């Protein structure tokens, strides 16, 4: 038996002979191996528990980041791009008839290009289904109804009186195709919202459990060191100390990484994607409103014109519900913007460098476009149809399509600022999550190996 153990036993004997309190059973020689083995089992068990908790933290955050960054958001953005593309194609078709162009004229070519892009994006969406029938159903409806729409358009292009066919095509696009694409957006957004909220809550619960278990394991490792000092009269057990220090370092690194992942997730979802979503919806609605402006001029029926005007105003109101004067006042008071339309919601959620000015430019361009729409309707009401058409499709300064292009350019810039921030945040989060894989192994093996080999060395020494 080693001299340190003999010294410990001697001290116990001396303490007893002088009438002091007898030491606990831990210090009885026969109890030493059992006590050391119990502490070894406890530390190993706690290490495994810490590893399990850390794994669930890793798995939960990875699931949220994957759903947000790869499964839901790209599909939501794609759905709004399909919606905008289809509305753009529909506008070009109506302009073709409004300007009395040939089918292979500028508007006809723009229509074909836009409709082909929409087909390609729908096909990509069909190949990237994540949530089963919730996505499959809307995609199938959109494809089926789009085929019928193109059949009606073909008939309209080949007849001398296309009026009724054009309005039938408009009804198909407005009442069936675009709503199906909106449903595709909603299906993905529902999963995004639930995954982001519930996934983060679950991850945070596992994270708290991980921290508590890590604290317990640290205490157990330190307590084992103290007891071995009491028995063997040595300040530290090098292997256990090394395991403890590496473990504490690993936990600290885990805390830093989880904080970064949580921050990047918040930036990606709340700061960037929420803006991407409202801007994408605003763009799609703007294209739809642009269609109704052209449809208004394609008919002389007052009831039909009133319906087209109501559709335009409904879309315009969803984009921004105030006039130019009010817009300038509201821009100066962002807190009052929330709930005044999609562009107002974006201005109330400005976060990134350059975003505020881009959003302001977008809103101002939209207000100018809506003002010009009123001028178009005044000309039409006063019997100046040709002037109304010229103002509607004109691309010169202070004409409607010029204003719409300025709005679209400013919106696309604002959208790109947020999309870039979203992509960067998701990339950072994914990189941090990859680092956690190696950290998990460190959190398990450092305390386990330190405990097993550290205590085993003392047990061997005890037997000697």
């Amino acid at each position: 038996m080693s001299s340190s153990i003999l010294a410990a036993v001697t001290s116990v004997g001396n303490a007893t002979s002088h009438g002091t309190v007898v030491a606990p059973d831990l210090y009885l020689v026969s109890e030493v191996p059992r006590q050391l083995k119990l502490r070894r089992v406890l530390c190993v068990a706690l290490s495994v528990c810490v590893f399990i908790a850390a794994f669930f933290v890793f798995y939960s955050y990875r699931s949220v980041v994957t759903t947000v960054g790869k499964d839901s958001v790209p599909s939501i953005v794609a759905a709004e791009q399909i919606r905008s593309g289809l509305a753009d194609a529909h506008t070009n078709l109506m302009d073709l008839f409004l300007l009395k162009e040939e089918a292979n004229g500028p508007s006809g070519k723009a229509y074909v290009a836009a409709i082909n892009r929409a087909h390609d994006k729908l096909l990509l969406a069909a190949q990237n289904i994540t949530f089963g029938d919730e996505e499959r159903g809307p995609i199938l409806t959109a494809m089926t109804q789009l085929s019928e729409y193109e059949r009606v358009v073909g008939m309209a292009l080949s007849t001398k009186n296309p009026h009724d066919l054009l309005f039938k095509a408009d009804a198909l696009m407005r009442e069936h195709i675009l709503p199906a694409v909106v449903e595709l957006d909603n299906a993905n957004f529902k999963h995004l919202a639930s995954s982001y909220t519930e996934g983060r809550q679950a991850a945070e619960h596992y994270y708290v459990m991980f921290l508590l278990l890590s604290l317990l394991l640290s205490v157990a490792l330190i307590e084992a060191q103290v007891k071995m000092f009491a028995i063997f009269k040595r300040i530290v057990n090098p292997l256990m100390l090394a395991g403890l220090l590496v473990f504490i370092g690993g936990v600290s690194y885990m805390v830093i990484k989880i904080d970064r992942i949580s921050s990047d997730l918040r930036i990606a979802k709340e700061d960037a994607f929420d803006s991407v979503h409202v801007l994408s919806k605003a763009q799609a609605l703007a294209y739809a409103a642009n269609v109704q402006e052209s449809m208004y001029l394609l008919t002389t029926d007052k009831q039909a014109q009133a319906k087209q005007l109501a559709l335009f105003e409904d879309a315009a109101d969803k984009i921004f519900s105030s006039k130019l004067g009010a817009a300038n006042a509201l821009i100066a008071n962002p807190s009052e913007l929330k709930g005044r339309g999609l562009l107002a919601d974006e201005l109330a959620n400005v976060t990134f460098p350059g975003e505020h000015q881009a959003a302001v430019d977008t809103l101002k361009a939209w207000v100018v476009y809506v003002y010009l729409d009123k001028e178009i309707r005044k000309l039409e009401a006063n019997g100046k149809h040709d002037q109304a058409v010229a103002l509607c499709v004109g691309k010169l300064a202070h004409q409607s399509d010029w204003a719409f292009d300025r709005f679209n350019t400013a919106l696309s810039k604002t959208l790109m600022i947020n999309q870039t921030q979203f992509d960067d945040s998701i990339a950072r989060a994914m990189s941090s999550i990859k680092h956690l894989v190696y950290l998990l192994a460190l959190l398990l093996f450092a305390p386990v190996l330190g405990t097993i080999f550290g205590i085993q060395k003392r047990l061997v020494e005890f037997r000697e």
Side-chain angles (χ1 to χ4, degrees):
M1 186 181 298
S2 70
S3 59
S4 61
I5 299 173
L6 286 171
V9 174
T10 301
S11 65
V12 171
N14 291 337
T16 305
S17 65
H18 286 85
T20 56
V21 179
V22 178
D25 287 347
L26 171 63
Y27 299 110
L28 296 176
V29 175
S30 62
E31 284 292 303
V32 170
R34 188 175 71 85
Q35 293 292 336
L36 292 180
K37 290 176 182 178
L38 284 174
R39 280 166 174 75
R40 181 172 62 184
V41 170
L42 175 63
C43 290
V44 170
L46 282 173
S47 297
V48 172
C49 291
V50 168
F51 171 79
I52 293 172
F55 174 80
F56 278 107
V57 173
F58 156 78
Y59 181 80
S60 298
Y61 274 112
R62 188 185 66 174
S63 297
V64 176
V65 172
T66 300
T67 300
V68 172
K70 294 184 177 181
D71 296 338
S72 297
V73 167
S75 296
I76 292 169
V77 173
E80 292 300 337
Q81 289 175 343
I82 293 168
R83 190 178 168 194
S84 295
L86 288 170
D88 184 32
H90 194 43
T91 300
N92 285 306
L93 176 70
M94 298 309 158
D95 286 350
L96 182 151
F97 287 97
L98 193 60
L99 296 170
K100 298 181 173 59
E101 293 179 354
E102 295 294 327
N104 60 352
S107 298
K109 290 179 180 178
Y111 161 77
V112 171
I115 209 77
N116 285 339
R117 286 194 297 271
H119 274 296
D120 290 342
K121 288 185 179 294
L122 276 170
L123 183 59
L124 285 174
Q127 294 172 337
N128 191 37
I129 290 174
T130 307
F131 305 117
D133 289 341
E134 292 180 75
E135 291 181 276
R136 191 176 293 109
I139 291 172
L140 181 60
T141 298
M143 286 182 164
T144 303
Q145 294 297 320
L146 187 56
S147 177
E148 174 64 13
Y149 168 85
E150 291 180 272
R151 186 186 71 82
V152 173
V153 168
M155 292 171 60
L157 290 169
S158 61
T159 185
K160 293 181 179 180
N161 185 18
H163 181 275
D164 291 343
L165 290 169
L166 288 178
F167 277 81
K168 182 177 180 180
D170 181 62
L172 281 169
M173 181 62 73
R174 181 167 38 80
E175 297 174 7
H176 299 283
I177 300 171
L178 295 180
V181 180
V182 171
E183 190 178 343
L184 178 62
D185 178 324
N186 291 340
N188 282 279
F189 189 79
K190 180 184 73 173
H191 284 280
L192 170 65
S194 63
S195 175
Y196 180 74
T197 302
E198 297 170 9
R200 286 194 73 184
Q201 288 177 350
E204 287 168 1
H205 291 158
Y206 288 126
Y207 183 51
V208 171
M209 187 184 302
F210 162 76
L211 293 177
L212 291 174
L213 287 169
S214 296
L215 179 61
L216 285 175
L217 176 56
S218 299
V219 170
L221 289 169
I222 293 171
E223 190 272 345
Q225 288 270 22
V226 171
K227 292 304 181 184
M228 282 193 288
F229 169 72
I231 297 171
F232 295 96
K233 302 302 180 184
R234 295 177 187 177
I235 297 176
V236 295
N237 182 308
L239 290 175
M240 288 192 70
L241 179 61
L244 174 62
L245 293 177
V246 172
F247 174 72
I248 291 174
V251 171
S252 301
Y253 189 66
M254 181 88 166
V255 170
I256 292 171
K257 282 298 180 182
I258 293 302
D259 182 65
R260 288 179 181 174
I261 292 170
S262 182
S263 176
D264 286 330
L265 259 179
R266 181 190 57 76
I267 292 170
K269 167 61 176 67
E270 298 177 26
D271 294 338
F273 174 70
D274 283 358
S275 290
V276 168
H277 196 212
V278 298
L279 288 167
S280 298
K281 290 170 71 174
Q283 188 175 48
L285 278 170
Y287 273 109
N290 203 29
V291 174
Q292 310 316 142
E293 188 176 79
S294 297
M295 292 292 296
Y296 180 90
L297 297 175
L298 276 170
T299 182
T300 56
D301 182 77
K302 298 301 180 182
Q303 187 175 357
Q305 284 186 337
K307 181 178 180 180
Q308 296 303 319
L309 174 59
L311 290 169
F312 179 92
E313 290 179 339
D314 179 63
D317 191 60
K318 289 176 181 176
I319 294 171
F320 185 65
S321 60
S322 296
K323 297 180 181 179
L324 180 59
N328 289 329
L330 289 170
I331 288 169
N333 297 281
S335 60
E336 298 180 16
L337 284 165
K338 198 69 177 175
R340 292 179 179 269
L342 295 168
L343 294 183
D345 289 345
E346 158 56 14
L347 268 167
N349 190 40
V350 166
T351 311
F352 308 113
E355 184 182 3
H356 180 265
Q357 188 58 53
V360 168
D361 292 343
T362 303
L363 177 56
K364 289 183 174 180
W366 175 252
V367 171
V368 170
Y369 171 76
V370 173
Y371 168 78
L372 290 172
D373 175 78
K374 296 183 184 299
E375 295 301 306
I376 291 169
R377 298 180 197 279
K378 286 181 183 178
L379 290 171
E380 180 71 9
N382 292 329
K384 300 177 181 179
H385 178 74
D386 290 343
Q387 293 180 39
V389 171
L391 183 58
C392 175
V393 300
K395 293 186 179 294
L396 298 177
H398 306 296
Q399 292 183 317
S400 183
D401 277 1
W402 165 84
F404 189 83
D405 288 344
R406 285 179 72 242
F407 158 76
N408 210 24
T409 299
L411 185 144
S412 296
K413 181 180 178 180
T414 316
L415 191 60
M416 184 55 63
I417 289 171
N418 284 279
Q419 185 65 54
T420 299
Q421 292 290 339
F422 173 84
D423 293 339
D424 290 347
S425 297
I426 290 297
R428 289 195 301 269
M430 290 300 295
S431 177
S432 295
I433 284 172
K434 288 178 182 177
H435 291 161
L436 292 185
V437 174
Y438 304 104
L439 189 58
L440 290 175
L442 189 68
L443 290 171
L444 175 64
F445 291 115
V448 166
L449 295 179
T451 300
I452 290 175
F453 289 109
I455 291 180
Q456 181 62 29
K457 187 174 181 180
R458 291 293 176 259
L459 288 173
V460 171
E461 182 180 320
F462 183 83
R463 287 195 293 270
E464 291 174 353

